[in-house]
Amino acid sequence: MNGERLVDVYLLPAAMRELPPPWNDLTYRRSQALEELAPTEERREEARHVLRVCLPERRQSVHDWDEELRDFYDDRDDHTLDEADAWLTRIMPTTSQVTRQRVAQVVGVWADMRIPTVSAPPTDQQIDTVAAEWATSVRQALAHDAFAFIERATVSGSLSDPETQDIALLACGFVRVGLAVEAATRVLVSLGRPRGEDALLDLVRDAEVQDFRPFVRSGLLRLRRSLYETRAREVPRDEEPLLPDGLRGLSHSWQNDFDWGATAPDGKSLARARSALEASLAVERSPGVGRSYGGAPVDWDAIAEVVRALMPYPRLVTRERMNEAWHECESLGFDLRGTDAVSFAGVWCARIADRVTAAVFRWLADLPHVEGATGHKEPEALSTPVFWAAGLAERSVRRGSAVEEAIWFLHRTDDVPDSREALLRLASDPSLPAATREAARQWTV
């Protein structure tokens, strides 16, 4: 290595090097000391000062440079990886000691320990990589503890309005640069409405947030869930229903994915199951039922949290509430790829029908069956046979609705001629997707 590179260079700004105890402590003792401190006004200001000096000017990246070795070391008994990490705080226990030369010492120790990512002797590039990562890790660790300390104060409700405004700005700043994102988001959630909610709304709409958006949105949804629950308790009046009668009459909800659970297989429940399946087949299919709409990806599975919170039961699925869900998803920063309110409603009506269909076929497939007098399998001790479901199962598969569950039902009842013949047709129909044909074929051999 060049001689001039041996001159000690600080890796942290002066304000971080001059932090008071326990904030300047980079060992485990810092967190222990902070837990013992009461979040007084003076201490809270101290924590906010820590956040201000740790916030970098531009986006950071913590690559976890040793993560790729984790599996390798999991198979070892000598805890070499933990020992290697410990050398960083052993040689640099305070913020004032974080220098490139000390990092070089640590990397030299790693080389002696035969850490695979370090050559012997280490190169300048390896030292610079570790130095950059360590400096960023220090910022992140201090910010994490500062946010956790402040969060304790938010729980007690002792923060002033100027404090909450400053904290919200700092938390948003850290999310945007990609440091201590989880801790910063938790603080915003703890600030509640409106301060924390407004900040989270700004973040989910910000392009800088990028891959952190789902986590930030999850915090925002926690704050808005009470609004959804209030709306869901309102009885639909003068609202346009979007689902057929056979679905609107169901008492099952999203909570267990419309699961019928321990519903007794009596004549009434079987009639309701048939009505639900027939109603589901009447729901118009939408091009966005899958994970894309118009050829571009839309995260429908994530959006489901909003839809099911506003409309937890099929009877609540109305035009008005679907419009609300669509507007809400737009405000939450979901990328709807140009999906308008009408298309959005079409997607979700079809998806709800698919989920109900899947739940009904799971329930029917799990019923105990015995041979009836007609030669058909019938639910044990029941006079109402369910072989009528074979035709509905085949229709569901052909329209791509609850394919796995419908085929499983046909397999469970394949002693019934209708079910067996439906499986054979599905297994040999070249117009169906190859995966669908194969799923049916496995039960025909």
Side-chain angles (χ1 to χ4, degrees):
M1 292 181 289
N2 297 328
E4 65 270 22
R5 297 305 299 272
L6 296 178
V7 176
D8 219 355
V9 176
Y10 288 114
L11 301 178
L12 300 175
M16 289 186 68
R17 302 198 300 269
E18 297 166 1
L19 287 173
W23 295 105
N24 66 338
D25 191 341
L26 300 183
T27 70
Y28 67 91
R29 288 183 289 271
R30 180 186 69 248
S31 296
Q32 291 180 342
L34 290 173
E35 289 177 1
E36 298 173 0
L37 295 178
T40 63
E41 183 178 355
E42 180 181 358
R43 292 295 188 183
R44 297 196 303 268
E45 169 54 35
E46 199 172 74
R48 301 206 316 272
H49 172 69
V50 171
L51 291 173
R52 283 190 286 268
V53 302
C54 288
L55 182 61
E57 295 180 357
R58 58 183 180 275
R59 191 172 179 85
Q60 302 291 296
S61 176
V62 179
H63 298 294
D64 292 327
W65 39 263
D66 56 9
E67 191 65 27
E68 63 187 54
L69 302 176
R70 187 69 62 181
D71 292 339
F72 172 78
Y73 284 108
D74 281 346
D75 296 330
R76 300 176 59 139
D77 298 325
D78 55 6
H79 305 292
T80 306
L81 183 59
D82 291 336
E83 178 64 14
D85 287 345
W87 274 100
L88 288 164
T89 52
R90 189 173 301 166
I91 293 180
M92 294 168 281
T94 66
T95 55
S96 63
Q97 295 170 306
V98 179
T99 66
R100 187 185 184 281
Q101 187 170 344
R102 287 186 173 88
V103 169
Q105 287 180 251
V106 173
V107 177
V109 172
W110 291 355
D112 294 338
M113 297 170 68
R114 298 182 180 179
I115 299 297
T117 53
V118 178
S119 61
T123 66
D124 282 349
Q125 183 179 358
Q126 290 169 345
I127 294 171
D128 288 338
T129 298
V130 174
E133 293 291 344
W134 178 233
T136 299
S137 296
V138 168
R139 288 179 184 268
Q140 174 151 273
L142 289 175
H144 178 279
D145 282 1
F147 279 125
F149 186 82
I150 291 172
E151 187 178 0
R152 287 166 50 194
T154 65
V155 173
S156 66
S158 58
L159 298 178
S160 66
D161 188 64
E163 278 186 285
T164 60
Q165 183 177 6
D166 189 33
I167 291 166
L169 289 173
L170 287 166
C172 288
F174 273 91
V175 172
R176 288 189 172 99
V177 298
L179 286 184
V181 173
E182 293 187 9
T185 301
R186 284 197 300 269
V187 162
L188 291 174
V189 173
S190 70
L191 291 179
R193 303 172 59 198
R195 183 78 71 189
E197 181 183 35
D198 290 344
L200 289 167
L201 278 168
D202 286 341
L203 288 172
V204 296
R205 299 165 182 168
D206 193 329
E208 289 186 71
V209 174
Q210 296 178 2
D211 48 340
F212 301 120
R213 185 174 288 110
F215 184 83
V216 174
R217 186 185 291 121
S218 69
L220 179 57
L221 287 170
R222 287 173 56 190
L223 291 180
R224 298 184 68 80
R225 192 165 290 122
S226 61
L227 298 176
Y228 305 154
E229 291 171 353
T230 299
R231 178 65 169 122
R233 287 193 292 269
E234 296 177 6
V235 178
R237 290 189 176 90
D238 300 322
E239 296 181 27
E240 178 190 351
L242 295 179
L243 295 175
D245 289 340
L247 291 175
R248 294 204 304 272
L250 290 179
S251 60
H252 304 285
S253 71
W254 287 81
Q255 184 174 359
N256 296 309
D257 208 12
F258 301 106
D259 185 21
W260 289 49
T263 301
D266 54 22
K268 184 177 180 181
S269 63
L270 287 169
R272 187 181 300 117
R274 183 172 188 172
S275 176
L277 289 176
E278 290 172 343
S280 295
L281 287 169
V283 174
E284 184 179 352
R285 300 297 290 175
S286 169
V289 172
R291 292 188 58 83
S292 65
Y293 181 81
V298 177
D299 194 351
W300 297 116
D301 292 337
I303 291 172
E305 184 169 356
V306 177
V307 175
R308 67 182 174 220
L310 285 168
M311 296 165 278
Y313 293 92
R315 65 177 178 273
L316 299 176
V317 178
T318 66
R319 177 73 63 192
E320 292 76 9
R321 297 181 193 224
M322 276 292 180
N323 287 343
E324 292 173 27
W326 174 68
H327 282 296
E328 180 69 2
C329 288
E330 281 200 321
S331 70
L332 291 173
F334 282 107
D335 188 354
L336 299 178
R337 300 289 183 176
T339 308
D340 61 17
V342 174
S343 299
F344 183 91
V347 167
W348 279 105
C349 285
R351 287 177 70 90
I352 290 170
D354 286 353
R355 288 180 183 241
V356 171
T357 300
V360 172
F361 279 125
R362 283 194 298 267
W363 179 68
L364 291 174
D366 288 342
L367 294 180
H369 291 83
V370 296
E371 290 293 335
T374 62
H376 294 298
K377 277 190 175 182
E378 300 175 5
E380 190 172 0
L382 292 177
S383 60
T384 305
V386 297
F387 56 81
W388 48 262
L392 296 177
E394 182 176 359
R395 287 173 60 190
S396 294
V397 172
R398 291 187 178 281
R399 77 193 315 251
S401 173
V403 172
E404 180 180 345
E405 291 81 4
I407 288 177
W408 177 247
F409 166 77
L410 291 173
H411 161 61
R412 288 294 300 259
T413 59
D414 62 1
D415 284 347
V416 177
D418 290 348
S419 294
R420 181 69 177 177
E421 291 167 6
L423 281 174
L424 290 170
R425 286 192 295 270
L426 294 172
S428 59
D429 190 338
S431 68
L432 294 174
T436 299
R437 296 198 306 272
E438 182 57 34
R441 188 179 296 120
Q442 67 176 318
W443 304 119
T444 62
V445 294

